[in-house]
């Protein structure tokens, strides 16, 4: 048996043996927490619209996003957000709060290596790809929109 | 001429090398685990009073060495050589400790296999008559390892079910040509080959290292003309639950049956409620278990012959990102109590 064949055989055997994530509880908790975060967001924007009747819907959404981003960063700083993430999984990563967490957590982590080369450089080490992809897609969509 | 070499990869010491003192120190999580009654010191604060986790890791190793030397009733000046390594880039935890202790220092890198590697090299140095007192030490810290290899600590991501938990802890053993006769002694050692079965999943270190453990274990049995039943305990370093099952299967495939005398430090480190999935890993895992639980059991006489194999995954975050598979290594030392 040559090396390649041995490696393939071993890896197939390992794959068959590894414990799998249980689908039902993971999905349940991620939908539960993700749904609660979305409800909270909706709650914030509805409350704002109720208190300030002159506010536009777009402005209320912007304030709601700012509120959620702040809350997630704050909980990250307190060391709570990662604990939510342990059982919520994608439920707390996919909403904007997860994005906030992914910027706040390296910022806290790398502060010790200095403000410029630690905090500023490493701050986007997790969220960087999201920003790059977001920008790239927005440019493509913008070009398409120009011709429509 | 080469009188002490045995077979292809092993050495047998003409005078068994004495382990005159050992010391272990661990973090809080490990201190709540299965070996809580055996560790010499359990941290109350994961930063050990330091400002960063890297400094804390350095202090762990330093603390283990200083107290190990003290326990042997020696002074730092009596130590001829310090053999140590750790997981951080350029093994700074070890070399900075050597700087502080003003010790003659040889840095080792064997990833999580460093405890066995340092004991094997140290025993050769002592039995060869080059040095009298040799310090062997290593350690790791959960948070510094996470920072280096994975994600920021506060990131709300999930760990896959194959992952292991890097142990916060350090261990130190002092080898000597002198000392009392009734102590644990190193009889032989087997140096490992780098083995790679093409595993690329960085969250499944057990699978990457099990073939290396298998290779060294077989080499040891062949070189020493022994079989698994000859040992009271065969102990691997940090294969974890999955990795040790893989090792048992691999050994059986090669005609060796590992029975109830086989165990793994990583698998035993934590209890099931601690949610570490496959168990402990890291250089501090095997170092803290060997220098507490195993040495105590040997001293008490409840076990007499131990084969200690620490396994290491020789990857870097760069090699993993460039798609390279994970090479493993494993070194073995045979420790006995007469």
């Amino acid at each position: 048996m040559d090396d390649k064949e041995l490696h393939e055989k071993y890896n197939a055997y390992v794959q068959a043996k590894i414990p799998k994530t249980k689908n039902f509880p993971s999905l349940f908790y991620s939908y539960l927490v993700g749904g609660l975060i979305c409800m909270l967001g909706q709650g914030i924007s509805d409350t704002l619209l109720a208190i300030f009747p002159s506010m536009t819907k777009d402005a209320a959404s912007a304030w709601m996003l700012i509120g959620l981003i702040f809350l997630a960063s704050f909980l990250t700083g307190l060391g709570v957000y990662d604990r939510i993430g342990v059982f919520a999984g994608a439920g707390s990563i996919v909403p904007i709060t997860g994005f906030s967490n992914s910027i706040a957590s390296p910022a806290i982590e790398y502060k010790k290596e200095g403000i410029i080369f630690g905090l500023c450089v490493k701050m986007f080490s997790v969220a960087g790809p999201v920003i790059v992809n977001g920008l790239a897609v927005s440019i493509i969509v913008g070009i398409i929109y120009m011709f429509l | 001429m080469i009188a002490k070499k045995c077979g292809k990869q092993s050495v047998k010491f003409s005078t068994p090398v004495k382990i005159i003192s050992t010391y272990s120190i661990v973090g809080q999580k490990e201190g709540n685990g299965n070996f809580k009654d055996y560790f010499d010191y359990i941290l109350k604060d994961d930063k050990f009073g330091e400002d960063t986790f890297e400094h804390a890791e350095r202090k762990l190793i330093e603390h283990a060495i200083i107290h190990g030397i003290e326990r042997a009733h020696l002074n730092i000046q009596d130590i001829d050589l310090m053999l140590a390594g750790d997981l951080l880039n350029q093994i700074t935890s070890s070399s900075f400790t050597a700087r502080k202790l003003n010790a003659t220092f040889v840095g080792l890198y064997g990833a999580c296999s460093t405890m066995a590697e340092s004991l094997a090299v140290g025993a050769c140095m002592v039995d060869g008559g080059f040095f009298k007192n040799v310090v062997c030490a290593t350690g790791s810290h959960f948070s510094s390892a996470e920072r280096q290899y994975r994600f920021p600590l506060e990131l709300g991501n999930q760990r896959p079910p194959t992952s292991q938990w890097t142990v916060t802890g350090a261990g130190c053993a002092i080898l000597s040509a002198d000392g009392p006769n009734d102590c644990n002694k190193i009889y032989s050692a087997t140096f490992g080959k780098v083995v790679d079965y093409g595993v690329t999943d960085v969250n499944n270190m057990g699978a990457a290292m099990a073939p290396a453990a298998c290779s060294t274990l077989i080499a040891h049995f062949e070189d020493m003309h022994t079989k698994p039943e000859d040992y009271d305990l065969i102990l691997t370093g940090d294969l974890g639950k999955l990795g040790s099952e893989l090792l048992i299967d691999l050994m059986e495939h090669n005609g060796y049956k590992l029975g109830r005398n086989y165990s793994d430090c990583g698998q035993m480190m934590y209890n099931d409620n601690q949610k570490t999935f496959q168990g402990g890993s890291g250089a501090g895992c095997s170092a803290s278990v060997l220098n507490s639980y195993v040495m105590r059991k040997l001293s008490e006489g409840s076990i007499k012959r131990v084969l200690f194999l620490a396994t290491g995954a020789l990857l870097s975050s760069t090699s993993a990102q460039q798609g390279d598979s994970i090479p493993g290594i494993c070194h073995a030392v045979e420790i006995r109590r007469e």
Side-chain angles (χ1 to χ4, degrees):
Chain A
M1 193 157 38
D2 64 2
D3 273 4
K4 206 174 162 214
E5 204 181 324
L6 175 78
H7 293 178
E8 275 169 14
K9 228 176 145 182
Y10 180 70
N11 276 289
Y13 157 67
V14 170
Q15 281 307 318
K17 224 177 150 77
I18 60 175
K20 304 280 184 299
T21 309
K22 290 191 188 92
N23 281 337
F24 180 74
S26 323
L27 285 171
F28 178 77
Y29 286 120
S30 59
Y31 274 98
L32 181 76
V33 176
L36 283 173
I37 293 171
C38 295
M39 268 174 66
L40 177 69
Q42 192 62 49
I44 295 173
S45 101
D46 286 356
T47 313
L48 283 171
L49 288 172
I51 300 174
F52 309 103
S54 59
M55 191 181 256
T56 63
K57 222 174 167 192
D58 282 352
S61 298
W63 281 111
M64 175 268 287
L65 290 178
I66 292 168
L68 285 183
I69 289 170
F70 167 76
L71 188 69
S73 296
F74 186 66
L75 290 178
T76 305
L78 292 181
V80 175
Y81 203 87
D82 60 320
R83 290 179 194 198
I84 301 172
V86 167
F87 76 91
S92 58
I93 291 174
V94 176
I96 196 152
T97 50
F99 187 68
S100 167
N101 168 251
S102 72
I103 292 178
S105 58
I108 296 168
E109 184 95 19
Y110 294 102
K111 206 175 64 191
K112 284 276 180 262
E113 278 89 308
I115 299 291
I116 304 292
F117 290 107
L119 195 149
C120 296
V121 171
K122 297 280 177 65
M123 198 164 174
F124 297 98
S125 60
V126 181
V130 182
I131 297 171
V132 171
N133 281 310
L135 280 174
V137 170
S138 70
I139 290 167
I140 295 166
V141 171
I143 291 170
I144 296 169
Y145 189 71
M146 201 164 71
F147 290 109
L148 286 177
Chain B
M1 188 60 198
I2 307 174
K4 294 176 186 177
K5 194 180 172 203
C6 249
K8 282 186 178 155
Q9 289 169 244
S10 306
V11 288
K12 199 169 185 177
F13 304 114
S14 46
T15 315
V17 177
K18 291 168 188 164
I19 304 172
I20 54 168
S21 129
T22 60
Y23 193 88
S24 62
I25 173 170
V26 291
Q28 276 177 310
K29 191 179 177 100
E30 293 69 26
N32 290 323
N34 292 329
F35 296 112
K36 56 174 180 279
D37 301 330
Y38 293 93
F39 296 126
D40 295 308
Y41 190 95
I42 296 168
L43 299 188
K44 284 164 204 78
D45 136 47
D46 255 6
K47 277 198 177 153
F48 207 179
E50 297 289 309
D51 56 345
T52 69
F53 294 118
E54 285 74 14
H55 291 170
E57 180 175 318
R58 201 180 293 170
K59 197 171 165 189
L60 280 174
I61 298 179
E62 187 189 309
H63 182 99
I65 293 177
I66 290 174
H67 285 81
I69 294 172
E70 231 169 57
R71 191 172 272 184
H73 306 294
L74 296 173
N75 291 313
I76 292 174
Q77 294 78 18
D78 300 324
I79 300 301
D80 299 307
L81 185 69
M82 168 181 161
L83 295 170
D86 54 85
L87 302 180
L88 295 189
N89 289 336
Q90 287 80 39
I91 56 167
T92 45
S93 303
S94 306
S95 48
F96 283 49
T97 301
R99 175 184 70 182
K100 182 150 186 198
L101 300 178
N102 194 23
T104 311
F105 171 64
V106 174
L108 302 174
Y109 186 77
C112 311
S113 73
T114 309
M115 195 65 231
E117 185 184 17
S118 61
L119 287 174
V121 173
C124 290
M125 300 274 203
V126 173
D127 189 47
F130 302 105
F131 298 99
K132 192 168 102 182
N133 298 318
V134 175
V135 164
C136 304
T138 186
S140 55
H141 195 297
F142 170 78
S143 303
S144 63
E146 284 293 303
R147 271 163 64 93
Q148 181 172 312
Y149 291 103
R150 296 178 193 98
F151 292 112
L153 292 170
E154 299 300 334
L155 186 71
N157 59 332
Q158 277 180 324
R159 297 164 57 241
T162 49
S163 64
Q164 289 171 259
W165 191 276
T166 307
V167 166
T168 300
C172 162
I174 298 177
L175 307 181
S176 181
D178 255 356
N181 225 346
D182 59 332
C183 56
N184 305 332
K185 293 172 191 167
I186 301 178
Y187 272 73
S188 65
T190 302
F191 292 94
K193 289 183 178 176
V194 179
V195 180
D196 189 340
Y197 273 25
V199 174
T200 50
D201 183 1
V202 292
N203 287 307
N204 194 355
M205 294 292 186
M209 297 187 294
C214 173
S215 153
T216 303
L217 203 45
I218 292 172
H220 184 85
F221 291 145
E222 282 176 357
D223 292 348
M224 294 292 155
H225 306 291
T226 52
K227 39 189 195 308
E229 306 85 85
D230 295 337
Y231 301 86
D232 297 322
L233 179 64
I234 296 170
L235 188 68
T236 47
D238 59 351
L239 292 178
K241 291 188 189 91
L242 177 68
S244 6
E245 282 170 24
L246 293 171
L247 176 64
I248 292 171
D249 290 352
L250 284 170
M251 288 302 287
E252 200 164 339
H253 190 72
N254 284 285
Y256 290 94
K257 187 142 178 56
L258 293 180
R260 289 178 61 86
N261 59 347
Y262 167 68
S263 214
D264 180 74
C265 299
Q267 185 184 7
M268 294 192 295
M269 177 64 94
Y270 301 104
N271 61 47
D272 288 342
N273 299 327
Q274 292 182 299
K275 299 215 168 63
T276 56
F277 299 120
Q278 300 302 324
S281 70
C285 178
S286 59
S288 58
V289 175
L290 176 79
N291 291 307
S292 59
Y293 173 77
V294 179
M295 290 299 180
R296 176 117 47 110
K297 288 286 165 196
L298 279 162
S299 304
E300 285 169 359
S302 50
I303 45 174
K304 288 196 156 44
R305 192 177 185 187
V306 174
L307 185 60
F308 170 69
L309 305 107
T311 41
L314 301 174
L315 79 167
S316 74
S317 35
T318 310
S319 77
Q321 278 170 352
Q322 292 183 352
D324 288 317
S325 55
I326 304 166
I329 186 131
C330 174
H331 303 292
V333 284
E334 181 198 351
I335 305 168
R336 282 203 237 175
R337 180 82 177 199
E338 302 283 73

